[in-house]
Amino acid sequence: MRTTKKMIAGVAAVAALAMGLAGCGSGSDSSSSSSSDEVVKITYMHRLPDSDGMTTVDEIVSQWNKAHPNIQVTATKFSGNASDMIKKLETDVNAGNAPDLAQVGYAELPEVYTKGMLEDVTEYAEQYKDDFASGPYSLMQVDGKTYGLPQDTGPLVYFYDKAAFDELGLTVPTTQEELISEAETAAKSGKYIMSFQADEAGNMLSGLAGASGSWYTIKDDAWVVNTETDGSKAVASVYQTLLDNKAVTTYPRWDPTFDAALQDGTLIGTIGAAWEAPLLMDSIGDSGKGNWAVAQLGDWFDNGGKTGPDGGSGVAVLKGCEHPKEAMEFLDWFNTQVDGLISQGLVVAANTSDAKTPDSWKEYFSGQDIMQEFIKANDNMGDFTYIPGFSAVATAMTNAASKAADGSGTVEQIFTDAQTTSIATLKDYGLSVSE
């Protein structure tokens, strides 16, 4: 689970589901499409922050309702523990009184699918496919079938202190060799252009490794697991080299020491999810305003310049929804309301070049239009699939990463443990595993 700090920021990393409201499609008859005199009612549960200064979800939904009198949507915000929401939602689906639509984290989607809580909306989703970046769109699929549409995303990008790079004569590396060389050069001056974040291993390292190919596939109704891919081996090799050469920081991402390294200028570059932009601004403070910039990941991990996911969520259609066609029509519209969603602090999954970087972000990041960098990363994201119970895998990876950080273990062991834990977790769910 993410920390409270990340949750408060309202960014894409927190996976969210919803507790039930009225019965699915309540207030309408059992027809699956609306007629001229019928009002279809759709319920939508979300966990977007709705903080002061944002365009609230209710305000966005009201625009839809005014323009679509025959498809009326009621949105409700849920505040509470995510794991409790999953349990509540499962109970509501089984009781037949769940909402039509619910926000769900990409990493949770396979688990919710396995519990029979989702509606297959493949036939409706296809027409909206081009409205979203392919990577996030694929994260709303299991075994080739689609269960909703992506809302926000967390492509991994590179944040760096451009002023410090210029002072040291460094350039953003484009190859694996350049990355290691520049990191070692910076370290000689007591500066670090990379961080090894043990507490983020399950999210970041799976994303970096997954950029060159997914760990999980389904064949003949059985899961095929391979967390020790060429991409994983490259990630392990690069980070182990940096650790051995003391050319990378090992401060946990959500520990005050990480912020301190940013503030005192020790850490001048780090890989992070796009949604971390405002968090990094807060962590670094005013002293870094105008100095930092964003770049795409280079071909650092045999990834061919691709990037991977770290966090984000979509909106799923829940089992028993009486009007999936209308629900998907609204969902496509809602998830492409770019300005409103950006005001909520989201990096949208919508496939658009119209997203505007907030002025405060642009001022902080050297006048750069960083939202365009995030869109580019979205479009360049490799397809990655999670398994039911991925949280157990992430925990195992975090534990192994902690040992790699203090020198009592290796980075390679992170991916070995991911393999054994993945298989064990799937079997605990009673699912078939191809071995």
Side-chain angles (χ1 to χ4, degrees), residues 99-382:
D100 300 286
L101 300 169
Q103 192 174 341
V104 53
Y106 297 132
E108 270 79 32
L109 187 79
E111 178 178 346
V112 177
Y113 158 80
T114 300
K115 293 180 177 179
M117 298 163 60
L118 302 179
E119 193 76 38
D120 179 359
V121 290
T122 305
E123 63 175 310
Y124 306 117
E126 189 66 25
Q127 64 184 303
Y128 305 123
K129 184 175 182 178
D130 291 341
D131 292 344
F132 303 93
S134 61
Y137 184 87
S138 72
L139 291 171
M140 294 304 294
Q141 297 178 312
V142 179
D143 197 19
K145 296 180 180 179
T146 308
Y147 297 92
L149 294 173
Q151 184 172 89
D152 61 286
T153 184
L156 289 164
V157 294
Y158 186 61
F159 297 93
Y160 68 105
D161 186 336
K162 187 175 183 298
F165 267 55
D166 291 344
E167 183 178 341
L168 293 173
L170 302 173
T171 58
V172 176
T174 59
T175 67
Q176 187 176 118
E177 292 75 15
E178 289 176 359
L179 174 66
I180 294 172
S181 176
E182 295 284 68
E184 292 176 348
T185 297
K188 293 176 182 177
S189 299
K191 306 289 185 179
Y192 298 90
I193 68 168
M194 286 284 282
S195 61
F196 181 76
Q197 306 163 20
D199 57 342
E200 278 292 292
N203 304 292
M204 180 181 292
L205 297 189
S206 64
L208 292 176
S212 57
S214 185
W215 289 354
Y216 309 113
T217 56
I218 297 177
K219 183 178 181 180
D220 298 329
D221 296 324
W223 284 94
V224 179
V225 178
N226 181 14
T227 70
E228 298 171 290
T229 61
D230 289 344
S232 299
K233 293 175 182 176
V235 171
S237 176
V238 170
Y239 272 108
Q240 192 64 61
T241 297
L242 294 177
L243 286 167
D244 291 345
N245 294 340
K246 302 187 185 307
V248 61
T249 66
T250 56
Y251 305 119
R253 176 63 182 91
W254 307 109
D255 188 89
T257 55
F258 188 92
D259 288 0
L262 290 169
Q263 293 162 8
D264 67 16
T266 300
L267 183 59
I268 60 173
T270 182
I271 295 172
W275 48 257
E276 289 190 60
L279 297 183
L280 287 170
M281 290 166 54
D282 181 59
S283 293
I284 300 167
D286 290 341
S287 63
K289 183 180 293 186
N291 294 338
W292 283 72
V294 177
Q296 303 298 310
L297 300 186
D299 187 11
W300 300 342
F301 309 106
D302 294 348
N303 55 323
K306 285 276 189 181
T307 191
D310 182 347
S313 61
V315 179
V317 181
L318 300 185
K319 179 65 70 175
C321 178
E322 296 177 1
H323 300 285
K325 179 177 182 295
E326 289 82 0
M328 287 292 286
E329 183 181 349
F330 161 73
L331 181 52
D332 175 70
W333 178 89
F334 185 86
N335 282 359
T336 55
Q337 298 306 295
V338 175
D339 290 343
L341 294 177
I342 288 177
S343 81
Q344 292 274 343
L346 304 184
V347 178
V348 296
N351 192 12
T352 176
S353 60
D354 298 331
K356 297 179 179 64
T357 300
D359 290 340
S360 61
W361 296 17
K362 186 176 292 186
E363 180 183 5
Y364 202 94
F365 287 94
S366 311
Q368 183 183 11
D369 189 357
I370 63 173
M371 195 60 70
Q372 294 305 310
E373 288 294 329
F374 298 157
I375 290 171
K376 183 177 179 181
N378 261 347
D379 293 339
N380 199 34
M381 192 187 299

Side-chain angles (χ1 to χ4, degrees), residues 4-29:
T4 301
K5 179 177 180 181
K6 297 164 79 174
M7 295 170 66
I8 290 175
V11 293
V14 182
L17 287 174
M19 65 182 286
L21 288 177
C24 181
S26 62
S28 63
D29 62 29

